[in-house]
Amino acid sequence: MKKILIAILIFFFPLIVLAAPAYVQDISGRGASPKALTFGSNTIAGNLIVVYMFTESNSDVLISTVTDSQGNTFHFINRGTANATQFNTEEWYASNIIGGADTITITAASAVTIDANITEFSGVNTLDTSNGYTGGTPDNNPSIALTTSVNNELLTGIIVSASGNPSAGSGFVGRTNTGNGFAAFYLPEDSNGTSNTAGSNPVTFTVTASFNGGVAAAFKQVNNTPVVGPAIMIIRSFFKVRGFLTIR
């Protein structure tokens, strides 16, 4: 019996380890709507693309569509603004992407300049939760609340600051941005490589005395359901070879 239990431990449990969320690549840019951004390397089939953006306007200019050259479907996540109507900030995503060379095009509802970042991640493909943030008065070190449902989710977010230059919060990694556009700064960030537990997991930024707006979202890992079928087949074959089991 001890040999049988050891065999199960060796052959079964390695098959249910989850893929860890990981950053792959990103690029940022600024320009008139529609704004196109192209990844520097081919994307990988099954991965996740997150698109962070804001519109350079003192009025609420929204994003109408996000499309790409692969034919992936992009979904709106959430939005926020700085000081009620300034710098509409949005986050979109596409999961289980087709993979390959990819150009993403962001189109606003009216003529406006768009600042954006596109980031590819592996190991995650399901949106769990999101939140929008609007700062009505100058605030220091904004925090966007998220409540996640499982451990070790990928936490993502973007902050737009009307005057301060933001940096990543503790446990987060800032990604590329286009600097100061239209008297506003922005920063996309994520929790790549940082573990977390289900529950309260705010996305935090460091910025001083500014009107801030932003979005945060959390994504679940790939393969949250164990692959039991192949494991059982391997175990049955192992026992059959050693004479423990007769399979009809």
Side-chain angles (χ1 to χ4, degrees):
M1 179 59 70
K2 184 181 293 185
K3 291 183 178 179
I4 294 175
L5 292 175
I6 292 173
I8 291 174
L9 289 172
I10 293 173
F11 285 90
F12 178 71
F13 283 97
L15 296 179
I16 63 174
V17 174
L18 299 179
Y23 163 85
V24 178
Q25 62 177 325
D26 77 299
I27 191 168
S28 62
R30 176 176 181 257
S33 173
K35 174 59 184 172
L37 292 170
T38 302
F39 279 115
S41 302
N42 286 358
T43 58
I44 300 172
N47 278 358
L48 171 80
I49 294 174
V50 176
V51 183
Y52 313 90
M53 71 211 77
F54 82 95
T55 53
E56 295 184 5
S57 174
N58 286 324
S59 59
D60 237 357
V61 179
L62 306 182
I63 301 299
S64 56
T65 61
V66 178
T67 59
D68 74 354
S69 55
Q70 294 179 356
N72 294 304
T73 299
F74 284 82
H75 305 277
F76 169 76
I77 298 175
N78 216 319
R79 62 183 291 266
T81 58
N83 196 20
T85 61
Q86 289 181 306
F87 315 132
N88 172 63
T89 307
E90 300 186 20
E91 191 170 342
W92 294 55
Y93 78 101
S95 60
N96 293 313
I97 62 173
I98 296 169
D102 199 9
T103 296
I104 295 174
T105 301
I106 305 162
T107 304
S110 59
V112 73
T113 297
I114 296 172
D115 296 74
N117 170 285
I118 56 175
T119 304
E120 179 186 7
F121 298 97
S122 64
V124 283
N125 62 9
T126 303
L127 177 66
D128 181 26
T129 187
S130 69
N131 194 10
Y133 178 85
T134 296
T137 58
D139 52 346
N140 295 329
N141 306 327
S143 176
I144 307 177
L146 289 178
T147 301
T148 57
S149 62
V150 297
N151 295 341
N152 297 322
E153 295 194 20
L154 173 71
L155 309 178
T156 68
I158 174 175
I159 200 74
V160 177
S161 173
S163 58
N165 193 1
S167 57
S170 176
F172 291 88
V173 179
R175 302 303 175 188
T176 63
N177 60 63
T178 48
N180 180 9
F182 196 67
F185 299 82
Y186 80 103
L187 180 74
E189 68 174 24
D190 57 80
S191 63
N192 178 56
T194 301
S195 61
N196 53 75
T197 57
S200 177
N201 284 290
V203 175
T204 60
F205 301 85
T206 301
V207 62
T208 302
S210 176
F211 292 100
N212 304 297
V215 181
F219 296 87
K220 296 179 183 180
Q221 293 172 271
V222 173
N223 296 332
N224 277 307
T225 302
V227 186
V228 177
I232 292 175
M233 291 176 64
I234 292 174
I235 293 170
R236 285 164 62 90
S237 298
F238 176 78
F239 290 158
K240 181 180 179 182
V241 168
R242 283 153 179 77
F244 292 126
L245 182 66
T246 300
I247 301 177
R248 301 184 183 280

